[in-house]
Amino acid sequence: MAIDSLGVKHAALETEISLNQCLSVLTLIFDEDCTIPFVTRYRKERTGGLDEVQIRDIKDAYEEYLETEKRRSYILEAIKKLEKLTPELEKKIKAAPNLTVLED
């Protein structure tokens, strides 16, 4: 699975942890199949010494981003099929910052 660069940026903004640290954590978790406890204990040099809570927050923020984007895509497609998608509605859907606002 390729790491989504916009998802990494989202995780960095949400957690206030550097982009490089977030990318390292996500690479370890998703590309190298490491568990959070393993990353915390044995990959401190690659994460800059982040603790388990910070690593979990990065993972959660990244997964939240992916879910939101997946749902955004589904909603746009569904409304297009109904032929009800206006430019204004499309703009609002694309600008929704999170899943709650997107669903509303």
Side-chain angles (χ1 to χ4, degrees):
M1 173 175 127
I3 303 293
D4 186 308
S5 61
L6 293 175
V8 176
K9 288 179 185 176
H10 174 79
L13 287 172
E14 286 291 313
T15 60
E16 298 178 354
I17 296 172
S18 81
L19 196 62
N20 288 337
Q21 285 176 301
C22 288
L23 181 58
S24 291
V25 166
L26 294 169
T27 300
L28 286 165
I29 291 172
F30 291 108
D31 286 349
E32 298 179 26
D33 283 335
C34 298
T35 64
I36 292 173
F38 180 85
V39 172
T40 304
R41 290 184 193 104
Y42 304 111
R43 295 295 181 258
K44 287 182 183 189
E45 74 284 350
R46 291 195 42 199
T47 66
L50 295 175
D51 66 28
E52 196 166 328
V53 172
Q54 291 170 309
I55 292 170
R56 187 172 313 283
D57 288 346
I58 292 169
K59 179 180 181 274
D60 290 346
Y62 181 74
E63 287 177 337
E64 174 190 332
Y65 171 82
L66 294 179
E67 256 327 289
T68 301
E69 291 308 306
K70 189 166 119 180
R71 185 70 181 151
R72 185 185 324 273
S73 177
Y74 174 79
I75 288 170
L76 283 170
E77 283 300 313
I79 295 172
K80 279 180 188 176
K81 285 181 183 176
L82 295 172
E83 297 178 3
K84 301 285 184 184
L85 187 63
T86 64
E88 182 182 314
L89 181 58
E90 183 175 10
K91 186 177 176 181
K92 285 182 180 180
I93 291 170
K94 288 183 176 180
N98 57 46
L99 204 49
T100 305
V101 174
L102 182 61
E103 292 293 339
D104 289 342

